[in-house]
């Protein structure tokens, strides 16, 4: 579940310092415990898919605080941040707000959210690493992971069976051997693995699998790392995949991957877990053969381990201008705590913590995404990361590699130089 990072919020109200609104260590532990009203902003996902979980959280908090009025507002992802930015410039900020996990960093850098004490939230000691990273900036916690969405491999069982492969591959060698057979049988215009070149989420999984990183921090400064031997190894293998199995447009991103998959032009994708199911929806399945014929499996990495995947998802935060910060923290815990996580899992989401995630591995229906999510990575939590995303530095590098415009080494070197110019800039 991808959310676009806001790189420059540009609102004067966002620049208020956290210290001025409660002190260094206070945050949501200070003030607002006796508030009579709470305003919670969530996206329409909660409104449409699990409204009963919202009601349960309301009831739990109101039981402790009789007479408390809880207001809910729901927003679509495309317009949520514009509305949030506008209200944060006033004195009428919501008390709880849902954020895509890649959106958190820009707001934390600007001081928009109050610090939270993770010890006061259920399962915080077991939060998934990628989600924990998304709410952490300069060793402080500014949000609570809500739920996660991972990435898995998905392929057509009929095409795999046509080359004698009846079960999903367990190793990268088994995977590429099967894909080689599929590519040979289907011909040069077919995509044995439809892997859009500009899909940096997939490409960086190869980088992290090889022991590399987009950037690393030392002494408070971030330094790009795509030119390291480990990162180059991962990028080289990504290029091998694109060269060997991706015979479509080498300038495309992943935004319409499920549509292409539904057109029957490929045998496999490495994508968000929902994409396979969306491709087989009758309105997207142009082959009439996909329903019940697609199979998710854990993506094996060239390293011999499961491929580390980017974890998308949502977090909940308390704006620093909230007058009910303590109550807001209580509501978040009631909503994202143990009972809430069970409800979210029942709706097909991955939980925010490793303890609950382990239970999903025992169910065949959820074992693949749960297992895949155990090995995960997240973007560098650097002050200038928003500028890296805004400039599409990684996408430009990958397109240059995929189209052959530049060698892997030259493209990575240029990307590192571009990243280093902005990554430490607030």
């Amino acid at each position: 579940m991808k959310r676009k990072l806001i790189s420059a919020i540009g609102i004067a109200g966002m620049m208020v310092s956290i210290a001025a609104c409660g002190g260094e260590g206070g945050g949501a532990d200070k003030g607002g415990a006796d508030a009579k009203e709470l305003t919670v902003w969530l996206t329409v996902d909660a409104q449409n898919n699990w409204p009963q979980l919202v009601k349960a959280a309301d009831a739990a908090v109101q039981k402790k605080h009789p007479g408390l009025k809880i207001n809910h507002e729901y927003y679509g992802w495309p317009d949520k941040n514009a509305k949030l930015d506008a209200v944060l410039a006033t004195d009428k900020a919501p008390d709880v707000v849902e954020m895509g996990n890649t959106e958190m960093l820009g707001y934390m850098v600007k001081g928009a959210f109050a610090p939270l004490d993770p010890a006061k939230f259920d399962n915080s000691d077991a939060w998934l690493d990628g989600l924990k990273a998304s709410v952490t900036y300069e060793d402080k916690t500014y949000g609570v992971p809500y739920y996660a969405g991972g990435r898995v491999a998905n392929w057509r069982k009929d095409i795999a069976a046509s080359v004698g492969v009846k079960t999903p591959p367990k190793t990268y060698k088994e995977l590429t051997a099967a894909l080689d057979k599929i590519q040979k049988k289907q011909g040069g215009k077919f995509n044995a693995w439809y892997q859009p070149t500009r899909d940096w989420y997939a490409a960086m999984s190869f980088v992290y699998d090889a022991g590399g990183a987009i950037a690393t921090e030392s002494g408070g400064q971030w330094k790009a790392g795509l030119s390291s031997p480990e990162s180059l190894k991962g990028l080289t293998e990504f290029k091998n995949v694109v060269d060997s199995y991706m015979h479509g447009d080498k300038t495309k991103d992943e935004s319409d991957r499920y549509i292409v998959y539904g057109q029957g032009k490929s045998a496999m994708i490495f994508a968000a877990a929902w994409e396979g199911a969306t491709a087989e929806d009758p309105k997207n399945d142009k082959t009439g053969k996909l329903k019940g014929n697609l199979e998710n499996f854990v993506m094996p990495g060239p390293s011999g381990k499961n491929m580390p995947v980017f974890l998308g998802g949502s977090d909940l935060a308390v704006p620093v201008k909230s007058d009910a910060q303590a109550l807001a923290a209580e509501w978040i815990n009631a909503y994202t705590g143990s009972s809430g996580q069970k409800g979210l899992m029942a709706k097909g989401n991955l939980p925010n913590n490793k303890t609950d995630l382990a239970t999903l591995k025992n169910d065949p229906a959820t074992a693949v995404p749960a297992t895949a999510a155990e090995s995960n990575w997240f973007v560098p939590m650097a002050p200038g990361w928003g500028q890296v995303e805004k400039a599409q530095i990684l996408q430009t590098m990958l397109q240059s590699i995929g189209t052959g415009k530049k060698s892997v080494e030259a493209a990575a070197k240029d990307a590192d130089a571009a990243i280093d110019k902005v990554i430490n800039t607030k």
Side-chain angles (χ1 to χ4, degrees):
M1 189 178 304
K2 183 173 62 177
R3 312 293 185 223
K4 297 297 184 184
L5 181 65
I6 302 299
S7 62
I9 296 171
I11 292 179
M14 295 285 290
M15 300 303 292
V16 63
S17 71
I18 292 174
C21 297
E24 276 294 309
D29 295 329
K30 288 192 176 182
D34 57 350
K36 302 302 181 184
E37 195 166 339
L38 196 68
T39 299
V40 177
W41 282 20
L42 299 172
T43 69
V44 292
D45 298 333
Q47 182 181 33
N48 296 335
N49 300 320
W50 45 86
Q52 70 278 18
L53 301 183
V54 178
K55 292 179 181 178
D58 289 353
V61 175
Q62 288 171 327
K63 184 177 181 179
K64 293 176 61 178
H65 303 275
L68 175 66
K69 181 181 179 182
I70 303 179
N71 307 305
H72 293 281
E73 296 184 27
Y74 296 94
Y75 295 94
W77 286 106
D79 58 358
K80 174 182 68 69
N81 286 349
K83 294 180 182 296
L84 178 61
D85 293 347
V87 78
L88 288 178
T90 74
D91 293 323
K92 297 181 180 180
D95 303 298
V96 177
V97 62
E98 178 180 351
M99 305 294 297
N101 61 354
T102 61
E103 296 172 343
M104 284 290 295
L105 180 57
Y107 290 83
M108 293 190 293
V109 169
K110 297 295 184 183
F113 297 145
L116 303 173
D117 179 1
K120 295 190 175 182
F121 297 91
D122 292 355
N123 296 309
S124 60
D125 58 344
W127 283 345
L128 298 179
D129 294 340
L131 295 186
K132 181 178 180 180
S134 75
V135 299
T136 305
Y137 180 65
E138 293 185 340
D139 297 323
K140 294 182 181 179
T141 300
Y142 291 100
V144 175
Y146 173 9
Y147 65 89
R151 282 165 168 72
V152 298
N154 180 288
W155 75 359
R156 287 182 56 171
K157 293 187 288 185
D158 59 339
I159 294 179
S162 74
V163 295
V165 180
K166 302 294 180 65
T167 58
K170 301 296 186 184
T171 68
Y172 192 72
K173 184 176 180 180
E174 290 177 357
L175 172 63
T176 55
L179 292 175
D180 288 342
K181 292 178 182 177
I182 291 171
Q183 192 65 66
K184 183 177 180 180
K185 181 178 178 64
Q186 296 292 331
K189 293 184 178 181
F190 187 79
N191 305 294
W193 174 350
Y194 182 75
Q195 179 50 65
T197 307
R198 291 173 65 87
D199 177 12
W200 65 274
Y201 297 101
M204 293 304 105
S205 286
F206 280 88
V207 166
Y208 283 93
D209 179 70
I214 300 171
T216 56
E217 185 266 340
S218 178
Q221 289 292 302
W222 287 84
K223 179 73 174 174
L226 295 170
S227 294
S228 73
E230 295 83 5
S231 293
L232 290 175
K233 182 179 180 181
L235 289 171
T236 299
E237 186 54 38
F238 181 75
K239 175 176 170 56
N240 290 339
V241 167
V242 172
D243 288 348
S244 299
Y245 309 121
M246 169 64 177
H247 302 290
D249 185 347
K250 299 287 179 73
T251 67
K252 286 182 66 65
D253 65 17
E254 70 280 11
S255 59
D256 65 347
R257 173 170 43 209
Y258 68 93
I259 295 175
V260 176
Y261 199 30
Q263 293 170 343
K265 298 179 180 179
S266 54
M268 175 188 143
I269 57 174
F270 173 40
W274 57 265
E275 291 188 52
T278 305
E280 71 175 19
D281 185 293
K283 67 176 178 288
N284 295 319
D285 179 11
K286 305 305 180 184
T287 71
K289 301 177 180 179
L290 300 186
K291 190 68 174 179
N293 192 32
L294 298 182
E295 183 173 29
N296 283 336
F297 58 93
V298 178
M299 181 68 185
S303 68
K305 301 178 182 179
N306 291 342
M307 184 78 87
V309 298
F310 175 82
L311 280 186
S314 283
D315 301 321
L316 297 175
V318 178
V320 75
K321 285 190 171 184
S322 165
D323 292 325
Q325 292 181 16
L327 276 178
E330 284 189 41
W331 190 92
I332 291 174
N333 191 47
Y335 187 53
T336 64
S338 297
S339 61
Q341 290 301 308
K342 288 181 173 58
L344 288 166
M345 289 189 291
K347 292 295 184 178
N349 299 292
L350 293 178
N352 67 3
N353 66 90
K354 299 171 186 176
T355 304
D356 287 326
L357 188 70
T359 67
L360 296 182
K361 293 175 64 178
N362 298 322
D363 183 346
T366 55
V368 168
T371 301
E374 286 184 313
S375 178
N376 55 78
W377 61 273
F378 198 65
V379 299
M381 296 301 284
W385 176 252
Q387 296 183 57
V388 175
E389 279 211 43
K390 183 179 180 181
Q392 298 194 356
I393 294 171
L394 297 180
Q395 294 94 320
T396 299
M397 173 190 71
L398 294 171
Q399 183 171 321
S400 295
I401 291 172
T403 58
K405 182 179 179 180
K406 296 179 182 177
S407 67
V408 171
E409 293 78 6
K413 182 179 179 180
D414 289 347
D416 276 352
I419 290 171
D420 284 338
K421 286 181 180 179
V422 298
I423 197 167
N424 291 296
T425 304
K426 290 187 177 182

